[in-house]
């Protein structure tokens, strides 16, 4: 990617936006002046002013538009530990070295074997 | 007094004309250069995405290097080797003469996997087998990010050179999908580094649950087989060897079992994660017929070939998930889907076979973070 080019583009667009804003202001002033001096409502100038303002705003939003997510966010991952004999269940945060079906020591309830039953992340995303 | 008002009106009319002229010129400018402005705007949009892709690529590269340094404790800096591997290319076999293309494709895939694992092994001498598999997965995700970045950059630069609206349009139309997939790969890097199970491992998790506590043996490269009893039927359960990141060779394993049993198998059930359509729920389970297995097609071909040879019915169970979920840490809904899939397997076996029959159950997918 050309670094110089990427810097030049916003300048070009910003000049168009500024030009649009000046034109919009001028059209609006003309409309106000016409109304004050002649007492007539200049619809064309008002429409021109509004459309130039809208175009400038649209262009500005387009330039500024950036997505926030980079895909490297830390996710909350849980590890579920279950006893093979009784109904003992413990949910804790994922620790490095955890994997499903790994032995997790003796059960505090019945002295049976504990295993990592599942590892998952809670997601707030909508389907 | 009257002449002052007249002068004001005259001035008003002349400035009106001046502004009308500027507006007309502005519209002519937009009319003539409208598409060019649109092209520049589109290029600007692609440029933003490209810069995000570059960030992802760079972060991915950094994650690979630090994971290798942390896990593998290499004597020398792995950076030049990682940079060389990120430029790795796979050349597909020639398809002009399609005879034996699957065999040739399998050979190329085997060579590629072997080469990547060997490179990782040399870079990370302290890593165990599971860690080498995980690091290979991390490297592959970073490689995919690099590849995507380069393709988008190619179209961006080509569009900028030619200023052709249609060249730019092609990449702009695909950009939202490309970004979704890249974000998924960026998430995958974290999951692979930590050895967390991913959405693609849904099928492997089903098989792991079924074979847990039974005797196991290696049936094909990186593929585990276990014999168990389900509803009075003899069940051969297959999955890739975990907990390292592996997909194994389920096609080869099914072929071997059928050859060993001389085709006397009543049913083959394959369970895999499948891409959901928008609007469908993550973790939803669906049934069907056919070989439920993705990838380049080598294993699918083998399963279809051997099942057809012995006329064994093929049942498929799929657990639905989005493209982002496939390579990122397994979601709770997918774990729930796994439990539902196990119930479906039992129902299918009861309905489709008799007591004493033999069935094959193959859990397909990357088994990272899932033992057996």
């Amino acid at each position: 990617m050309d670094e110089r080019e990427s810097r030049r583009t916003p300048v070009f667009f910003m000049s168009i936006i500024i030009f649009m804003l000046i034109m919009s202001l001028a059209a609006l002033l003309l409309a106000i002046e016409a109304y004050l001096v002649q007492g007539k409502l200049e619809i064309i100038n008002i429409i021109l002013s509004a459309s130039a303002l809208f175009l400038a705003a649209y262009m500005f939003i387009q330039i500024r538009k950036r997505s926030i997510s980079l895909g490297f966010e830390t996710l909350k991952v849980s590890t579920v530990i279950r006893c093979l004999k009784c109904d003992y269940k413990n949910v804790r945060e994922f620790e490095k070295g955890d994997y499903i079906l790994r032995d997790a020591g003796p059960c505090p309830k019945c002295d049976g074997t504990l295993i990592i039953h599942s590892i998952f992340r809670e997601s707030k995303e909508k389907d | 007094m009257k002449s002052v008002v007249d002068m004001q009106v005259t001035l008003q009319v002349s400035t009106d004309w001046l502004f009308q002229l500027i507006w007309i010129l502005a519209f002519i400018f937009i009319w003539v250069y409208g598409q060019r402005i649109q092209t520049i705007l589109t290029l600007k949009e692609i440029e933003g995405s490209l810069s995000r892709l570059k960030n992802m690529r760079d972060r991915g590269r950094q994650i690979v290097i630090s994971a290798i340094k942390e896990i593998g404790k290499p004597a020398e800096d792995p950076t030049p080797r990682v940079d060389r591997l990120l430029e790795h290319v796979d050349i597909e076999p020639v398809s002009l003469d399609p005879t034996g293309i699957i065999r040739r494709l399998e050979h190329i895939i085997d060579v590629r996997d072997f080469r990547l694992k060997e490179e990782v092994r040399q870079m990370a001498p302290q890593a165990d087998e599971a860690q080498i598999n995980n690091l290979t997965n991390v490297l592959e995700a970073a490689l995919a990010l690099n590849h995507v970045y380069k393709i988008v950059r190619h179209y961006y630069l080509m569009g900028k050179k030619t200023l052709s609206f249609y060249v730019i349009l092609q990449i702009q139309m695909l950009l939202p999908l490309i970004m979704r997939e890249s974000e998924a790969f960026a998430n995958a890097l974290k999951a692979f580094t930590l050895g967390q199970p991913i959405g693609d491992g849904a099928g492997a998790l089903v098989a792991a649950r079924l074979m847990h506590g039974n005797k196991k043996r290696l049936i094909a490269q990186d593929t585990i087989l276990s014999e168990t009893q389900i509803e009075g039927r003899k069940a051969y359960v297959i999955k890739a060897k975990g907990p390292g990141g592996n997909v194994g060779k389920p096609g080869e394993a099914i072929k071997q079992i059928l050859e060993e049993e001389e085709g006397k198998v009543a049913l083959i059930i394959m369970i895999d994660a499948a891409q959901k359509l928008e609007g469908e729920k993550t973790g939803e389970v669906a049934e069907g017929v056919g070989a439920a297995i993705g990838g380049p097609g080598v294993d699918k071909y083998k399963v279809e070939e051997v099942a057809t040879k012995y006329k064994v019915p093929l049942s498929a169970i799929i657990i639905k998930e989005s493209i982002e979920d496939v390579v990122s840490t397994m979601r709770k809904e997918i774990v729930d889907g796994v439990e539902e899939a196990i119930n479906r397997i039992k129902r299918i076996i009861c309905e489709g076979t008799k007591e004493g029959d033999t069935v094959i159950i193959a859990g397909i997918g990357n088994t990272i973070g899932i033992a057996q």
Side-chain angles (χ1 to χ4, degrees):
Chain A
M1 213 182 352
D2 189 349
E3 195 73 25
R4 214 160 34 119
E5 189 65 28
S6 67
R7 245 184 253 137
R8 203 185 70 189
T9 321
V11 174
F12 170 71
F13 282 110
M14 282 313 285
S15 352
I16 292 181
I17 289 169
I18 292 165
F19 174 74
M20 291 280 203
L21 285 173
I22 292 168
M23 292 299 284
S24 164
L25 195 70
L28 190 70
L29 283 175
L30 279 177
I32 292 167
E33 202 182 353
Y35 182 72
L36 290 176
V37 176
Q38 299 170 3
K40 81 176 180 194
L41 205 61
E42 287 218 326
I43 301 292
I44 289 177
N45 273 336
I46 293 168
I47 292 171
L48 281 175
S49 171
S51 54
L53 195 70
F54 171 77
L55 269 172
Y58 172 75
M59 221 171 233
F60 187 71
I61 291 165
Q62 284 284 322
I63 290 170
R64 299 284 300 169
K65 204 163 77 178
R66 288 272 191 280
S67 271
I68 322 135
S69 159
L70 258 189
F72 291 99
E73 290 76 25
T74 316
L75 308 161
K76 191 183 176 268
V77 181
S78 308
T79 299
V80 179
I81 297 166
R82 273 192 183 171
C83 177
L84 288 174
K85 272 189 189 167
C86 66
D87 60 349
Y88 176 83
K89 185 183 164 185
N90 178 30
V91 184
R92 62 162 168 79
E93 231 175 88
F94 175 86
E95 286 168 12
K96 216 172 175 184
D98 281 357
Y99 58 83
I100 295 175
L101 299 183
R102 200 194 85 178
D103 208 314
C107 173
K109 211 169 148 186
C110 70
D111 219 31
T113 313
L114 288 178
I115 57 150
I116 293 179
H117 180 264
S118 49
I119 295 167
F120 56 80
R121 71 179 160 102
E122 299 273 5
S123 176
K124 284 171 194 162
E125 298 153 31
K126 278 185 186 168
D127 286 327
Chain B
M1 189 70 191
K2 202 183 170 187
S3 62
V4 173
V5 173
D6 280 350
M7 272 174 72
Q8 269 190 342
V9 171
T10 319
L11 191 71
Q12 162 87 29
V13 170
S14 54
T15 41
D16 255 11
W17 268 105
L18 184 69
F19 275 100
Q20 296 285 357
L21 187 69
I22 294 172
W23 274 114
I24 288 163
L25 287 175
F27 277 114
I28 290 170
F29 176 79
I30 288 168
W31 183 54
V32 174
Y33 293 102
Q35 199 179 55
R36 177 135 319 182
I37 292 171
Q38 185 66 47
T39 306
I40 297 168
L41 269 172
T42 314
L43 272 173
K44 181 81 197 125
E45 194 188 322
I46 300 170
E47 197 180 287
S49 299
L50 190 61
S51 123
R52 283 182 60 216
L53 282 172
K54 190 175 183 291
N55 280 341
M56 283 187 206
R57 194 265 315 247
D58 293 345
R59 287 276 298 276
R61 174 183 170 271
Q62 207 47 53
I63 287 173
V64 177
I65 294 166
S66 44
I68 289 172
K69 279 182 181 169
E70 194 191 324
I71 299 166
K73 312 263 184 304
E76 57 185 62
D77 185 17
T79 311
R81 211 166 186 150
V82 169
D83 286 338
R84 180 168 53 79
L85 284 171
L86 287 178
E87 299 298 325
H88 180 88
V89 285
D90 306 314
I91 300 163
E92 284 175 18
V94 64
S95 56
L96 279 171
D97 176 14
T99 323
I101 193 168
I102 297 284
R103 210 163 34 82
R104 285 182 277 134
L105 180 63
E106 186 181 19
H107 174 64
I108 286 168
I109 293 168
D110 286 348
V111 172
R112 176 190 190 269
D113 287 350
F114 178 77
R115 282 279 295 277
L116 279 182
K117 275 186 190 168
E118 272 312 298
E119 293 272 7
V120 173
R121 210 185 301 276
Q122 283 174 28
M123 279 190 287
Q126 305 270 310
D128 60 30
E129 203 52 39
Q131 285 170 329
I132 282 171
N133 286 336
N134 291 356
L135 286 174
T136 311
N137 281 189
V138 178
L139 188 67
E140 283 190 73
L143 209 145
L145 282 173
N146 187 37
H147 192 61
V148 170
Y149 165 70
K150 284 190 158 191
I151 288 173
V152 175
R153 187 182 61 178
H154 166 78
Y155 276 99
Y156 166 75
L157 291 175
M158 210 162 82
K160 223 162 90 168
K161 257 185 205 164
T162 57
L163 271 184
S164 158
F165 188 58
Y166 300 99
V167 171
I168 297 157
L169 205 63
Q170 284 182 69
I171 197 75
Q172 196 220 9
M173 284 193 297
L174 288 172
L175 214 51
L177 299 175
I178 292 172
M179 294 313 287
R180 272 181 76 179
E181 216 161 304
S182 304
E183 276 169 29
F185 277 119
N187 273 322
L189 282 163
K190 196 94 185 163
F192 289 144
T193 314
L194 294 168
Q196 292 169 343
I198 56 168
D200 186 46
L205 184 53
V206 170
R209 291 250 197 278
L210 293 174
M211 64 166 64
H212 183 57
N214 294 303
K215 219 174 148 191
K216 293 142 203 125
R217 70 179 163 101
L218 201 70
I219 186 159
Q221 191 196 324
D222 294 328
T223 314
I224 296 286
L225 169 76
S226 172
E227 204 183 307
T228 183
Q229 287 287 319
I230 297 174
E231 309 289 332
R233 281 82 167 164
K234 185 164 94 172
Y236 287 113
V237 186
I238 300 162
K239 83 178 266 292
K241 189 184 171 191
N246 249 327
V247 288
K249 285 183 170 281
E252 187 56 39
I254 292 172
K255 190 180 164 190
Q256 276 197 38
I257 298 166
L258 275 170
E259 302 286 355
E260 279 171 22
E261 291 282 325
E262 290 165 340
K264 286 171 193 143
V265 170
L267 182 67
I268 299 171
I269 305 173
M270 298 181 81
I271 310 103
D272 196 10
Q275 194 178 340
K276 75 177 181 80
L277 298 172
E278 286 300 323
E280 287 184 316
K281 280 189 178 144
T282 303
E284 211 175 271
V285 179
E287 290 168 38
V289 291
I293 183 164
V298 174
D299 286 278
K300 192 171 185 175
Y301 173 81
K302 280 188 182 177
V303 175
E304 285 171 354
E305 188 79 354
V306 76
T308 310
K309 182 181 169 190
Y310 291 109
K311 303 267 183 286
V312 183
L314 269 170
S315 270
I317 295 179
I318 54 166
I319 300 166
K320 295 179 182 178
E321 50 196 78
S322 67
I323 184 82
E324 295 96 325
D325 293 329
V326 171
V327 285
S328 52
T329 310
M330 196 177 273
R331 273 172 70 171
K332 172 102 174 55
E333 294 87 338
I334 298 170
V335 176
D336 297 338
V338 164
E339 307 304 329
E340 167 66 14
I342 293 170
N343 293 332
R344 299 262 188 130
I345 290 171
K346 288 176 182 167
R347 206 206 72 236
I348 291 171
I349 288 176
C350 286
E351 285 174 2
T353 63
K354 298 188 294 293
E355 272 194 38
D357 277 350
T358 301
V359 294
I360 297 173
I361 300 165
I364 312 299
N366 191 323
T367 191
I368 188 165
I370 306 165
Q372 49 274 328

